[in-house]
Amino acid sequence: MSKFGPAQFGPDYVRAIAPYQAGKPIAEVAREFGLDEATIVKLASNENPFGLPESSRAAMLEAAADLGRYPDANGFDLKTALSQRYDVPLEWITLGNGSNDILEIAAHAFVQKGEAVVYSQYSFAVYALATQGVGGRAIVVPSVNYGHDLDAMAAAIDADTRLVYVANPNNPTGTFIPAEQVEAFLQKVPSNVIVVLDEAYNEYLAPQHQFESSAWVRKYPNLIVSRTFSKAYGLAGLRVGFAIAQPEVTDLMNRIRQPFNVNSLAQAAAVAALNDKVFLEKGAKNNAEGYKQMVAAFEELKLEYVPSFGNFVLVKVGDDEGAGARVNLALLKQGVIVRPVGAYGLPQWLRISIGLPEENAAFIEALKKSLS
Ligand SMILES: *Cc1c(COP(=O)(O)O)cnc(C)c1O
């Protein structure tokens, strides 16, 4: 013990944080279970089963020549491409090291220690982490049918609330909130409370569910729309996401942002991916078909699942509290990596990312064996 007392580093709220549990990497599962990496199927992190677009690979090779220099801190080319795509000025865009970075930047820019953040039960784990990271007080609103209860979330906003996270579609449950309901919610939220609308899976929505949420940003100065290149665009390993918000909010986020938070390769790859319609369409088609393949198997096996609007599906693999962990282990032994969601308070469920048809089939076969 030192003369200052027992060594205890950091504030209480940092020590209270439960670390994020990522999907297991393929190499780790191969080592642990003595399997050949090439035979392992990973459907655990909602990654794009086609990998990165060829257009992005080519753009990165070209950008690699300049890696001796710092990235463009203002991300001019990428912001220009995004500004054209979403019809907003450059001053409305914040780039993130993944959209995870956007979620954290928002907490740092708008929430002080002790102030409140509202989010839903069973919503994305990073909302809790970002809130705790600034010593914020979490107001977790009970979910209805595994989705957000927006009326209850609006009612839960108290005088100390500075920020609300809404995931649409939500991860890990895959639920979706129609545009009219999101807009009705935005109308109810006090104008001094920031709403982060996290649309990481937006590109997977069927055309009838698509809504250009940048139109809401024009109407609501307290709204931040967050998007990512990690899912439909296939660039998860590069870490690039972005936010659209009005200039006052964007300016504050950019003060908190690390100047070089998005690296040069990521910026170049993202511009290419944004313009690669063919890749996006191929991914959406594969996802819609893979979803049908998964759901047909769950129905055959009489397993409950939550209808999903993302590139993954949540399925209940047993009635006892140990079901998720048990079936997960049985799947790992067969070389199939999925995501247990016990940490989300869903110990009977597993979240399966939708892969290529043969990957989905391998998972379904392994699931059948795991259940019998
Ligand atoms: C995957 C995901 C993200 C963030 O992913 P990044 O790779 O950091 O862009 C954000 N929100 C939700 C709901 C997600 O599922």
Side-chain angles (χ1 to χ4, degrees):
M1 203 192 284
S2 84
K3 66 179 175 178
F4 301 111
Q8 195 173 48
F9 300 111
D12 291 346
Y13 59 81
V14 171
R15 269 182 272 114
I17 294 174
Y20 181 81
Q21 293 177 1
K24 269 180 178 292
I26 289 176
E28 188 182 313
V29 172
R31 268 196 315 273
E32 262 181 46
F33 295 88
L35 300 165
D36 175 2
E37 276 191 33
T39 65
I40 291 178
V41 169
K42 186 185 178 208
L43 300 175
S45 300
N46 302 345
E47 293 146 340
N48 194 313
F50 292 108
L52 84 164
E54 274 310 316
S55 54
S56 293
R57 190 192 301 272
M60 280 194 289
L61 281 176
E62 214 182 301
D66 271 333
L67 281 177
R69 301 201 181 276
Y70 278 101
D72 177 357
N74 286 316
F76 181 79
D77 290 344
L78 178 52
K79 280 191 190 175
T80 301
L82 289 167
S83 132
Q84 284 163 1
R85 169 62 53 89
Y86 295 106
D87 192 23
V88 293
L90 261 60
E91 297 71 38
W92 291 37
I93 300 169
T94 308
L95 299 183
N97 188 245
S99 59
N100 199 312
D101 194 23
I102 298 293
L103 304 175
E104 277 190 26
I105 289 171
H108 280 278
F110 302 109
V111 184
Q112 290 187 60
K113 184 170 183 285
E115 292 178 335
V117 177
V118 170
Y119 52 86
S120 175
Q121 179 188 25
Y122 308 140
S123 63
F124 190 40
V126 169
Y127 308 154
L129 293 174
T131 302
Q132 286 177 300
V134 296
R137 176 167 58 88
I139 300 178
V140 186
V141 176
S143 139
V144 170
N145 295 331
Y146 303 100
H148 291 49
D149 182 347
L150 288 185
D151 289 338
M153 288 177 72
I157 294 171
D158 63 15
D160 298 327
T161 301
R162 297 291 172 266
L163 192 141
V164 183
Y165 288 111
V166 175
N168 199 33
N170 183 44
N171 172 19
T173 61
T175 53
F176 173 69
I177 315 161
E180 318 81 70
Q181 291 176 33
V182 176
E183 169 117 50
F185 173 76
L186 292 173
Q187 279 169 3
K188 276 192 235 167
V189 175
S191 57
N192 63 338
V193 174
I194 297 284
V195 176
V196 177
L197 182 58
D198 177 357
E199 300 188 321
Y201 301 95
N202 175 272
E203 297 81 5
Y204 285 108
L205 291 173
Q208 71 269 25
H209 296 303
Q210 289 276 357
F211 183 86
E212 208 38 89
S213 37
S214 53
W216 287 328
V217 174
R218 281 183 207 101
K219 240 170 122 177
Y220 299 98
N222 58 331
L223 176 63
I224 299 170
V225 170
S226 168
R227 297 272 184 99
T228 182
F229 284 92
S230 297
K231 309 285 162 58
Y233 290 108
L235 302 180
L238 281 170
R239 317 302 304 126
V240 51
F242 62 97
I244 299 176
Q246 288 197 17
E248 194 185 335
V249 162
T250 301
D251 174 44
L252 291 171
M253 287 205 290
N254 275 290
R255 295 183 199 199
I256 292 291
R257 180 181 69 84
Q258 281 182 44
F260 303 109
N261 64 335
V262 183
N263 70 71
S264 317
L265 297 186
Q267 291 188 30
V271 172
L274 193 66
N275 293 318
D276 196 336
K277 266 188 117 162
V278 175
F279 182 82
L280 216 57
E281 278 164 14
K282 184 173 78 165
K285 184 165 174 285
N286 179 74
N287 195 61
E289 289 169 3
Y291 178 71
K292 282 190 201 143
Q293 188 184 0
M294 292 284 189
V295 161
F298 298 154
E299 278 169 5
E300 185 195 325
L301 293 165
K302 304 210 164 24
L303 298 178
E304 185 183 347
Y305 63 91
V306 181
S308 175
F309 292 80
N311 64 343
F312 56 89
V313 53
L314 191 69
V315 61
K316 191 174 180 187
V317 291
D319 292 321
D320 61 292
E321 296 285 297
R326 184 176 61 245
V327 174
N328 181 55
L329 181 63
L331 289 168
L332 284 173
K333 286 179 179 164
Q334 297 173 80
V336 177
I337 316 174
V338 300
R339 179 69 69 90
V341 282
Y344 280 91
L346 295 162
Q348 303 160 327
W349 300 74
L350 292 174
R351 191 196 66 193
I352 326 298
S353 306
I354 292 162
L356 301 172
E358 58 274 21
E359 294 175 320
N360 303 334
F363 155 73
I364 291 164
E365 205 187 301
L367 178 66
K368 286 179 180 166
K369 285 190 189 138
S370 305
L371 292 170
S372 63

